[in-house]
Amino acid sequence: MEIIIFIIFTFLLSSINFSIQYLSKYKNLKFDKKGHMGSSLVWKNHSKFAGLVIFFGDSVLKGFFPIFISKYILNFNYEYMFLLIITVQLIGNNWSIFLNFKGGRGMAISIGSLLGINLFLAIILYSIYIFLYFFKFKDGGITWLIALIITAIISLSFSLNIFYCYIACLLFTILKRITGNNLNFDIKIILNRIVYDRDVKSIN
């Protein structure tokens, strides 16, 4: 029963969209509810400070916090418990019951959750992402995908439990990108969504 209550709490917490909560206070501010609903929306279109605060909320409160509680306070040491938690977190965040099953992309919450699961691998993930972003792609969409894939492969040398957590993040990232917050059956748009996390590839 304790696990069930915790999972429901985690799902409801993950379903809260801090970006929409913030933007809803500004009645004259227009934003596309069919588009991305994460901290980058606020960062790019409204306030960089608010974007950072929301990113902190997504990654720490919604991502790291439930993993930390289950690991160090409730002592849920069941096999694949982390996989269950991160799956619930990503479903709640990406398809929020409070937003008619729309939501964010899951990157921030994954960053926090994976940090709580294994610090060393999380540092590898962040390092790969930062290196590829600044020295190769200058694009967060493809960079996050590659960083997840590489770190997932490395995680195999740690445990299957952690490996499955990285695979879950990867699969839910791809699934969310494909479906977006509005369905589109154009193959070019779907491929651009998977790789670049947008309908049309940007031309630099």
Side-chain angles (χ1 to χ4, degrees):
M1 180 59 73
E2 190 177 34
I3 293 178
I4 294 174
I5 293 173
F6 176 76
I7 291 300
I8 293 173
F9 164 78
T10 300
F11 176 74
L12 293 175
L13 176 64
S14 303
S15 298
I16 299 171
N17 189 290
F18 296 130
S19 298
I20 298 302
Q21 292 295 319
Y22 170 80
L23 292 172
S24 64
K25 296 179 181 179
Y26 297 87
K27 300 186 183 301
N28 296 325
L29 187 65
K30 295 181 179 180
F31 58 95
D32 184 9
K33 290 188 177 181
K34 291 183 179 180
H36 175 53
M37 295 181 177
S39 57
S40 62
L41 170 70
V42 178
W43 170 276
K44 292 176 182 177
N45 301 302
H46 196 248
S47 165
K48 289 186 173 10
F49 176 74
L52 286 173
V53 171
I54 291 168
F55 178 83
F56 178 86
D58 285 341
S59 58
V60 177
L61 295 181
K62 292 167 59 174
F64 178 81
F65 184 58
I67 296 290
F68 179 85
I69 290 177
S70 69
K71 193 174 184 179
Y72 295 108
I73 298 178
L74 298 177
N75 295 314
F76 290 152
N77 296 318
Y78 304 102
E79 190 175 17
Y80 302 123
M81 187 66 194
F82 291 153
L83 176 61
L84 173 61
I85 294 172
I86 205 166
T87 298
V88 170
Q89 287 174 319
L90 288 169
I91 292 174
N93 180 82
N94 295 358
W95 297 277
S96 171
I97 58 173
F98 303 126
L99 294 172
N100 296 319
F101 301 104
K102 297 179 174 62
R105 291 294 196 267
M107 180 176 173
I109 198 169
S110 295
I111 286 173
S113 299
L114 294 172
L115 176 64
I117 291 171
N118 187 284
L119 174 62
F120 182 71
L121 278 172
I123 291 173
I124 292 176
L125 173 68
Y126 307 157
S127 300
I128 293 171
Y129 178 85
I130 292 170
F131 175 80
L132 291 178
Y133 183 88
F134 286 104
F135 297 102
K136 181 64 176 177
F137 297 108
K138 298 291 195 304
D139 186 294
I142 187 172
T143 301
W144 179 242
L145 212 60
I146 294 173
L148 273 178
I149 292 171
I150 294 174
T151 313
I153 294 171
I154 296 172
S155 72
L156 271 170
S157 62
F158 285 73
S159 75
L160 277 178
N161 190 353
I162 298 176
F163 171 71
Y164 291 149
C165 289
Y166 273 87
I167 292 300
C169 287
L170 180 62
L171 292 178
F172 279 113
T173 294
I174 293 172
L175 181 59
K176 179 59 183 184
R177 290 184 180 187
I178 291 173
T179 59
N181 283 322
N182 62 313
L183 293 174
N184 193 301
F185 299 99
D186 186 314
I187 187 64
K188 290 184 178 179
I189 289 178
I190 291 174
L191 288 175
N192 278 325
R193 284 182 175 183
I194 292 174
V195 177
Y196 301 105
D197 197 16
R198 62 183 71 91
D199 288 359
V200 180
K201 179 183 176 181
S202 297
I203 300 176
N204 296 323

